[in-house]
Amino acid sequence: MRTEGNTVKKTIDRYRSFRYALILEGIAVGAISGAVVVLFRYLLSYADGLLRSVLDYGRDHSWFVPVWFIILAAAAFVVALLLKWESFISGSGIPQVEGEMIGELDPCWWKVLAAKLGGGLLSLGCGLSLGREGPSIQLGSMAAKGLSRLTGRAKTEEKLLITCGASAGLSAAFNAPIAGVLFSLEEIHKHFSPEVLLSTMAASITADFVSKNVFGLQPVFNFQITKMIPLNAYGHVIVLGVIMGALGVVYNTCLSGTQDLYQKLPCQAAKLIIPFLLAGVFGFTYPYVLGGGHSLVEILTSGEMMLGSLCLLLVLKFFFSMISFGSGAPGGIFLPLLVLGAVIGNIYFSAVGMVSDSLNGLLGNFIILGMAGYFSAIVRAPITGIILISEMTGSYSHLLTLSMVSLAAYVVPDLVHCAPVYDQLLHRLLSRLNPDKMSPTTGEKVLVEGMVFHGSEAEGRKVSEIQWPRTCLLVSLMRGEAEFVPGGETKFAAGDKILVLCDETVQGELHRVLQAVCETVKMGRKV
């Protein structure tokens, strides 16, 4: 008991005193995770150039075409072996990071780093319609976890460092430090606190500095949008947002259906061979759909593609993205869905242009509106989407219209109860995992943060009236600037920040209780 008591005391004391130490640790995580992601990004740029050279050679030398398909089949087999060696590299990696944050998963950090780096390079390098951001976030998180394990950090501190790594990963992948911070808070950690904010800012800014020393100061999308949407055209922004919301529901539904279909195939190699061979077919027939589509966005802004070509591009890119991600190949959905949003925005602009000239000169505006709206509808992290698009385009002049389209796009899937894509993927991941894949039991104590929302079940209730998981203890309650230790008769108020000490084994259950009782608004509840 004395040893356990000392461990608990050490955990709480460390939590109260490490705010500024976390800034230094965030800088260290940003440098390490940023370097890993920059290496990944650099190798991907080399692989992309190599892919273009290979496809050009195959078009000029027909004998090489079957050779390339054999190479693609071999690459699919290698990726299948990597997935068998470390299954947690499947897909984007963001659900895996979220699962670790709630205590449900505990992958081996070095195996994920090695396998994700190799599998991601093969999948994206061969032309699958996948993005670099998901792997970058997972690589950044695992690099941070490795630092934590090598320096003997406690579990509570390790989770903060993992959040820092996720922030650094997105920052280095897209030269978007503010979006990196917001995504890690909005999607990964799901709580705002000074400790998390300061450390993730330090990590994200450091990773961005590392990235810009390699790739330069230019934003990811090198096009300028100087014209503002006139106020009399704001109705189009709302309409586009509603369309994006509906199409976001289609995206999430199709993604789930595609994964269900893939489950019927006998083995991982059979699943992967489909997108890899399709990448070969599209490479020689319609290369626009290959890869994440970074260069495609800049082609769209030129306005050279006609409405029919845009519709064909949308259908094929959507189809290939579903096939690529549904197979379980290591790669993300951020960039492909942003590209799809850009195509939809372009289609809307072109369709309106056929009947009216009210949107003349606003093509670039509707491309970024499409990107932000589609991201908000699918991921349901609108603030991250708004800032991400602003940073990727190097302009903050369009925050009002980006906010309007994101809000409209968010509401539609929320009304029809369509789950956000990463929640959907995490639920699927946890439901199919074997017990031995779950987080192992160590007996270590973990501190978990929660917030009491306005209108939640906990608001106005006593601490003793909440059904807490076993081995949980409320050790702190922050109300405004005041902090005190709550008792059983303490009543929760909206805005209270609580700190719960629990055994690592019930961390996942505690997160679910906090979400259901403290962080879910109960409409019509009387307090």
Side-chain angles (χ1 to χ4, degrees), residues 4 10-11 22 79 93 100 143 151 165 175 191 220 260 330 334 408 414 441 468 500 507:
E4 181 174 323
K10 181 180 177 182
T11 299
L22 268 176
V79 173
E100 179 148 16
T151 55
N175 287 3
H191 289 290
V220 172
D260 290 338
F334 256 46
D414 199 55
T441 301
W468 303 101
V500 184
Q507 188 183 173

Side-chain angles (χ1 to χ4, degrees), residues 95-112:
Q96 289 87 328
V97 176
E98 291 182 349
E100 179 148 16
M101 290 300 297
I102 63 173
E104 297 284 5
L105 306 175
D106 187 23
C108 176
W109 65 269
W110 64 266
K111 287 177 68 176
V112 172

Side-chain angles (χ1 to χ4, degrees), residues 305-312 346-348 350-351 354:
M305 298 190 73
M306 304 300 290
L307 182 59
S309 299
L310 290 169
C311 292
L312 176 63
N346 198 334
I347 290 174
Y348 183 86
S350 300
M354 296 178 67

Side-chain angles (χ1 to χ4, degrees), residues 223 297 300-301 341-342 345-346 362-372:
F223 61 89
V297 174
L300 292 173
T301 59
N346 198 334
L362 299 175
L363 173 59
N365 300 73
F366 276 83
I367 285 176
I368 64 170
L369 288 176
M371 295 165 72

Side-chain angles (χ1 to χ4, degrees), residues 174 220-223 225 240-241 244 292-294 296-298 300-301 333-346 363-379 381-382 384-386 388-393 402 405-406 409:
F174 284 148
V220 172
F221 292 130
N222 191 22
F223 61 89
I225 304 172
L240 179 62
M244 286 299 179
H294 172 270
L296 182 57
V297 174
E298 297 180 3
L300 292 173
T301 59
I333 60 174
F334 256 46
L335 196 52
L337 74 84
L338 290 178
V339 172
L340 287 169
V343 175
I344 297 169
N346 198 334
L363 173 59
N365 300 73
F366 276 83
I367 285 176
I368 64 170
L369 288 176
M371 295 165 72
Y374 210 44
F375 182 90
S376 179
I378 294 170
V379 181
T384 298
I386 293 164
L388 178 65
I389 302 306
S390 298
E391 289 190 294
M392 290 175 72
T393 57
L402 288 174
V405 76
S406 297

